[in-house]
Amino acid sequence: MNEKPTQGDSHPVNVADRPWQAHSEERAVDESVVAAWSEALAHLRSASDQTSAAARPAPLAPGLTLVVSAAPGDDLAGCLDAVAHQSLTPDHYDVLVVIDGPVAAVEAALHGLTAAGVSVRVVAAAPGMLRARDAGLAASRRQLTGFLAAGDRIGPDYLDRMLAAADPASVILATGAETGQAETTLPTTVTGTVVPTALARRASADDASDVHGGVVFLATLLTTYGCEARPVPLTGSAAYHREANVGSDADSRAADGPDDFDTRVMGPMSVLRSLDGLSRGCSPSTLALVRAHIDTEVDRINAHLRAHPDDHGRVVELLDAHGFDYFPYERLNRGRARALAVAYCFAPYNDTSAVVMAKRVRDRQDIVDAVFNVMDGKREKDPSIRRVSGPYVENEIAVDTPTYFSNWASIEAFREVGLERIAEIERVKGPYERVYSRVMWTASHFLAAAYKMRNPATTWTAEFSDPAARDVQGEVRSAPLSESAFLDEVRAEVRRRGLPLLVSDNVLDWCEYIAYVFADRVVFTNPNQLEYMLSYAPVPEAAALAREKAVISPHPTLPPAFYSMVEQSYPLDASLVHLAYFGNFYATRGLGDVLTALAGLEPSIRERIRLHVFTGKATELRKHMDELGIADLVVINPFVRFLAFLNMASKFDCLIVNDAVTADKHARNPYLPSKWSDYAGSGRPVWGLVEAGSPLSTQPLHHASPVGDIAAAQDVLRKLAATADAR
């Protein structure tokens, strides 16, 4: 039995000599030697191939070294008494006690082990300097290392069952009714586990976590070193459980502290980053275990945010700084959403309207449950868009109804099924305090209006991305409407309010009308849009109401962090000026002015310019380029996903955005391209091809030329080309 650490021994020069094996049973392991060896673990792996066989560590003996951790005041005697009465014979295992405190405090607890013939050693670790796990692995004499804490209690067959299940490539997990585990999970600490010593030493060296280090260590064994997690159900004589309020292991103690941000958020977030990295490329079964613990760590952060909701912004900053492959936002925000976001098209669908609504959710910084339509087959999914809105979404309520822009039957289905899904959640949390809906896709406002009518106290904000009942040419956009119980409810409420009824069988007219009448706020992206939409409203009284509660709010621009989240490789010749255009081409909006201007430039100028186009309509563009003779000046690329687009936008010398051509149909252009809000955050110069008085023309553009003015466009191109000479 060891009674105290040896103070006079000198440290060996070669830590691979494993000096503690030379210590007799009467001499303690020098904790400082173990610490030095543990620090060198990271170097041993890379140096092992260059080390002679004679200098390598001696082979580990068969069997198990059981590491028992304790702190001053822990009931160590109860745990060690159970260890001393194991059915496994003492020649198959030895015990290492690691204690934060003086060895003399545990002398009495060791007598039972020595009396039973069990070899026992003691390491007195300075508090906070050496985790029991590291000391135990460094000092283990056997091929397997098991872990217990002072508060653990085991039946007499525990070690026999654990050792029988163990092998050199598995992590053995004690499970059963006594542990409170109904299924295989990744433990938060190493207690109750048996690991292969050689691999575990490497995993321990890889694990730099200071908080909840046990789970990162075990995950490293499973992912990096290919171990298999094998649960061993233990009941009866082999049972394993922890006495209530008795002892704890060093790793779990590290997690117990004040309810402050560093402890309750930064600690778990560090673990989450480690687990996320480890989970990439691992087997499906291991991935499930790792992600289950990611859920657990996020639950810890959720508990903090429930008590400290003002810390949510700081948590979001941490999330933005790391690109998680998997992050359960619904767990982060569990129980916190008091608002409802209704967007027929929403993340993760790769659609401009989905992206803008995701940005709205983030910009409002209001935790929401998001209702949207299942659009599989109509829109590609881009899970990365969730990084925009996810930190502010609790429940994603996906409504599986037919996808149409303004078909009345599909609108009715979305409204009815959406209300049913919302009601299911409300049974738990009650009515929502706020609802926010956005229309490009018409059904959003119909569902939001129905909810508002059922919950008058709820504040409804309705946004129009563009005019709903008129197209870009100013022509009436229409879809037939059929009578329904919902419309009867609308009419009854309108009469109760003493307002004129809308007489129309056009779905798009009703979309605008119900928002004007029932919403508490109506959002327009620019003043021109407001004036234009209210000018053609069939019911002037409804338009007057909308004007009273109108809000002008351009599309939000994301924080700078989003422009570096998904790094893209796109080589650019530094001797040239590179312009970029992202988007498709339409009759009222295209690249015609730029292409024509480029073709008409003098060769010495245009040779210094490259135009890079990212589009889904490459065939039309390529044909036009060939006609103009500028194929060598334009690089055509396919569309890129949203976060990739943001990063790409930050790489070019100038970004191009153009107005829709509306002068022959509109007194003032009512459209503000949503792309401007994304360009605005790129930090790059922007060239706008604008109509006089348009919303885009009022933005802080670096370069501007009138739509259709080729000479003005050429002047901009000459200025841009001149910047190449100035480099």
Side-chain angles (χ1 to χ4, degrees), residues 470 502 509 512 516 532-544:
R470 298 291 186 275
L502 171 65
D509 285 341
E512 294 179 351
Y516 294 170
Y532 174 60
M533 290 182 66
L534 298 188
S535 72
Y536 65 73
V539 180
E541 291 85 350

Side-chain angles (χ1 to χ4, degrees), residues 132-149:
R133 182 194 76 202
D134 298 325
L137 288 170
S140 179
R141 296 171 171 172
R142 299 180 181 264
Q143 294 171 350
L144 299 167
T145 302
F147 299 92
L148 293 176

